[in-house]
């Protein structure tokens, strides 16, 4: 009997198991059938069961020349990124810039700058100056762009039309607020003013000139014969803007902290590349930004072109930088190394001065004595001085070209007048 009962129980269990498998198979088959017949309509699931669909990231696009890149460009990219999940940036080609306004920095340098901005996810090279219908379709279809972004300042093409008219018509345009107090034209004006003031007289009151550059006092500047007042700096720093640019994270307790300092005036591709190398040597990159007075004392009363807070924002926007010291001391002291738990102090081979090579008065004497100083081979042979020379030369060539064009036009109309009078 016991054996018979056991056999019967085993048979019942086996029957239940087979029944469960059959029912499960029916449920699975039914589910597969439901999914197969689902053609994009809203799927109605039983109460208590939630359909988790992965959210598609919102991709936004912003373009520009990004020539003479400054913290205003970075702030625009920051605002654009906030309107979506991924920011794709189009960098206008050299050929397009030459046709429309004339380049100051090469495409390679401009690409380095844009790629280094921490809010940028993807970069499109050789973007057109104006968004055509063909390119807009490419953005939507190939790059999966949801919205095209631009500032609230007008962008008018040579024929007088709105460069973003097609995007607006398609309902795929969003606008951000332009950063006040800075523009590429303004910065070029500062450089030209700097060169002019430096060449006027060596007996100029340098301390007075430095105060004008650092605090934004107005001076008259002749640009192409039009007497227009050029203010050296319009920027008014706020704690909110600094927080917006900051990473907001400190180093781990066991982090290897690398320190590099400098003026970082007219933040350029050379700066970006040395910061990239420095960041690769540790876990946390701390950058010291020297004060306007310190920069002026070492490089002349005409410098810096950008004031301390402008320079700090440009450096903070770089993806390789974790934190900055706004107004860092000229000399790296032992107390400073201890306070910030610095593991390594670095300096590039390409620099405005060779103070790091001096035996006396070397600002890195302490980290050298502690065997925590390293000289890095600079990837690019670019300094702020070479940038200034390039910009001034480009500006002079542009003016001469415009003068020749104006003279040709004048002669043309004189000839026309003469013929019609005859």
């Amino acid at each position: 009997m016991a054996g018979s009962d056991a056999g019967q129980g085993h048979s019942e269990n086996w029957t239940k198991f087979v029944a469960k498998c059959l029912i499960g198979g029916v449920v699975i088959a039914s589910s597969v059938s439901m999914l197969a017949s689902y053609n994009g309509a809203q799927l109605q699931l039983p109460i208590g069961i939630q359909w988790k669909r992965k959210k598609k990231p919102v991709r936004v696009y912003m373009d520009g020349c990004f020539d003479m890149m400054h913290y205003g460009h970075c702030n625009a990219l920051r605002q654009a990124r906030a309107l979506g999940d991924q920011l794709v940036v189009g960098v206008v080609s050299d050929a397009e810039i030459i046709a429309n306004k004339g380049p100051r920095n090469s495409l390679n340098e401009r690409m380095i700058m844009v790629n280094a901005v921490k809010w940028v996810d993807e970069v499109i090279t050789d973007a057109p100056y104006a968004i055509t219908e063909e390119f807009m379709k490419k953005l939507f279809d190939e790059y999966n762009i949801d919205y095209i972004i631009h500032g609230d300042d007008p962008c008018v093409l040579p024929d007088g039309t709105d460069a973003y008219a097609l995007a607006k018509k398609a309902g795929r345009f969003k606008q951000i607020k332009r950063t006040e107090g800075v523009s590429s034209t303004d910065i070029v004006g500062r450089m030209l003013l700097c060169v002019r003031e430096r060449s006027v007289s060596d007996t100029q009151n340098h301390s007075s000139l430095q105060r004008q550059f650092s605090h934004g006092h107005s001076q008259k500047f002749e640009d192409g014969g039009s007497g227009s007042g050029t203010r050296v700096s319009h920027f008014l720093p706020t704690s909110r803007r600094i927080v917006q640019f900051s990473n907001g994270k400190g180093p781990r307790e066991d982090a290897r902290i690398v320190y590099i300092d400098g003026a970082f005036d007219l933040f350029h591709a050379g700066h970006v590349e040395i910061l990239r190398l420095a960041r690769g040597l540790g876990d946390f990159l701390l950058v010291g930004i020297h004060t306007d007075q310190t920069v002026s004392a070492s490089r002349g009363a005409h410098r810096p072109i950008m004031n301390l807070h402008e320079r700090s924002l440009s450096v903070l926007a770089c993806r390789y930088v974790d934190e900055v010291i706004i107004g860092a001391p000229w000399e790296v002291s032992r107390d400073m190394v201890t306070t910030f738990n610095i593991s390594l102090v670095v300096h590039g081979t390409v620099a405005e001065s060779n103070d790091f090579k001096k035996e006396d008065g070397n600002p890195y004497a302490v980290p050298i004595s502690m065997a925590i100083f390293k000289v890095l081979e600079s990837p690019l042979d670019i300094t702020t001085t070479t940038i200034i020379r390039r910009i001034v030369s480009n500006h002079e060539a542009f003016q001469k070209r415009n003068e020749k064009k104006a003279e040709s036009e004048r002669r043309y109309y004189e000839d026309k007048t003469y013929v019609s009078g005859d």
Side-chain angles (χ1 to χ4, degrees):
M1 284 292 291
S4 177
D5 288 342
Q8 185 177 355
H10 178 74
S11 177
E12 287 177 357
N13 288 338
W14 174 252
T15 302
K16 288 179 181 180
F17 174 75
V18 172
K20 285 181 180 179
C21 289
L22 289 172
I23 293 170
V26 171
V27 171
I28 292 170
S30 176
S31 299
V32 171
S33 177
M34 287 172 66
L35 290 173
S37 63
Y38 176 58
N39 292 318
Q42 183 65 36
L43 183 62
Q44 299 296 325
L45 294 176
I47 296 173
I49 300 178
Q50 295 182 346
W51 178 270
K52 291 186 178 179
R53 190 191 309 175
K54 190 175 181 181
K55 184 182 176 183
K56 175 185 175 294
V58 176
R59 287 168 62 83
V60 296
Y61 173 82
M62 189 172 193
D63 60 11
C65 300
F66 301 104
D67 206 4
M68 284 301 303
M69 195 160 182
H70 48 71
Y71 66 91
H73 290 129
C74 297
N75 192 43
L77 295 173
R78 179 190 66 80
Q79 292 181 79
R81 179 63 168 73
L83 294 176
D85 302 305
Q86 297 172 356
L87 173 60
V88 180
V89 179
V91 180
V92 177
S93 68
D94 287 342
E96 288 272 4
I97 298 179
I98 290 171
N100 288 277
K101 55 195 250 183
R104 302 181 184 107
N105 295 308
S106 70
L107 177 61
N108 179 54
E109 290 175 28
R110 292 185 287 119
M111 288 291 292
I112 288 173
M113 296 301 294
V114 174
N115 273 304
V117 177
K118 60 187 176 185
W119 298 290
V120 176
D121 297 292
E122 188 178 336
V123 180
I124 299 174
T125 186
D126 290 343
Y129 191 78
I131 295 182
T132 61
E133 191 166 351
E134 181 184 0
F135 184 69
M136 188 170 70
K137 188 177 186 303
K138 185 176 181 179
L139 288 177
F140 296 157
D141 296 344
E142 293 184 27
Y143 291 97
N144 299 314
I145 298 300
D146 295 289
Y147 297 101
I148 294 171
I149 316 292
H150 192 261
D152 55 11
D153 52 318
C155 186
V156 181
L157 297 174
D159 63 0
T161 58
D162 183 355
Y164 296 91
L166 291 173
K168 291 175 181 177
K169 186 178 179 181
R172 307 280 286 272
F173 179 83
K174 285 191 176 184
Q175 188 171 275
I176 58 170
K177 187 174 177 58
R178 181 184 178 278
T179 305
E180 295 297 330
V182 66
S183 69
S184 297
T185 302
D186 167 59
I187 295 172
V188 171
R190 298 190 208 183
M191 280 186 263
L192 296 170
L193 175 62
C194 151
V195 172
R196 189 203 70 172
E197 290 293 343
R198 187 180 184 187
S199 62
V200 165
S201 174
D202 290 334
T203 60
Q204 176 81 26
N205 185 326
H206 284 186
S207 61
S208 172
L209 182 60
Q210 175 55 30
R211 284 195 298 272
Q212 291 170 347
F213 272 86
S214 298
H215 303 297
H217 292 276
S218 295
Q219 293 189 13
K220 291 296 180 181
F221 174 69
E222 298 293 324
D223 185 4
S226 61
S228 59
T230 299
R231 184 177 294 277
V232 174
S233 175
H234 301 269
F235 181 63
L236 298 175
T238 63
S239 57
R240 180 169 171 269
R241 181 53 50 83
I242 293 172
V243 168
Q244 288 173 337
F245 274 54
S246 175
N247 287 347
K249 295 180 181 179
R252 302 189 315 268
E253 287 188 12
D254 60 342
R256 177 176 169 81
I257 299 173
V258 179
Y259 178 76
I260 185 171
D261 61 5
F264 297 99
D265 197 13
L266 297 177
F267 196 62
H268 53 71
H271 291 139
V272 167
E273 288 295 88
I274 198 67
L275 290 175
R276 178 180 60 80
L277 289 186
R279 181 61 176 80
L281 296 176
D283 308 304
F284 192 92
L285 181 60
L286 178 65
V287 181
I289 317 293
H290 294 149
T291 66
D292 296 336
Q293 290 73 21
T294 298
V295 177
S296 177
S298 64
R299 299 179 191 177
H302 55 287
R303 302 276 285 276
I305 302 297
M306 312 290 284
N307 70 33
L308 173 62
H309 290 94
E310 292 177 310
R311 292 182 282 120
S312 297
L313 287 182
S314 291
V315 174
L316 271 174
C318 181
R319 67 172 70 250
Y320 308 118
V321 176
D322 295 291
E323 184 62 286
V324 303
I325 299 176
I326 303 175
W330 176 251
E331 294 183 2
V332 181
S333 65
R334 188 175 294 271
D335 182 59
M336 183 178 169
V337 170
T338 303
T339 300
F340 291 101
N341 194 27
I342 296 170
S343 303
L344 182 67
V345 177
V346 300
H347 198 286
T349 52
V350 175
E352 295 279 341
S353 63
N354 292 322
D355 291 321
F356 66 97
K357 296 180 179 179
K358 292 181 179 178
E359 291 187 9
D360 296 324
N362 190 324
Y364 305 102
V366 169
I368 289 173
S369 68
M370 297 172 68
I372 60 169
F373 181 76
K374 182 179 181 66
V375 176
L376 302 179
E377 188 69 33
S378 298
L380 296 177
D381 187 14
I382 304 174
T383 66
T384 300
T385 297
T386 59
I387 293 289
I388 293 174
R389 287 173 181 166
R390 183 192 299 174
I391 300 306
V392 172
S393 175
N394 180 279
H395 179 80
E396 290 173 350
F398 182 76
Q399 278 192 318
K400 288 179 180 178
R401 189 166 68 242
N402 277 0
E403 287 172 4
K404 288 181 179 179
K405 182 179 178 182
E407 178 64 19
S408 297
E409 289 178 350
R410 185 184 64 79
R411 289 179 180 175
Y412 171 80
Y413 286 112
E414 282 181 353
D415 292 342
K416 291 286 285 184
T417 302
Y418 176 76
V419 170
S420 61
D422 191 39

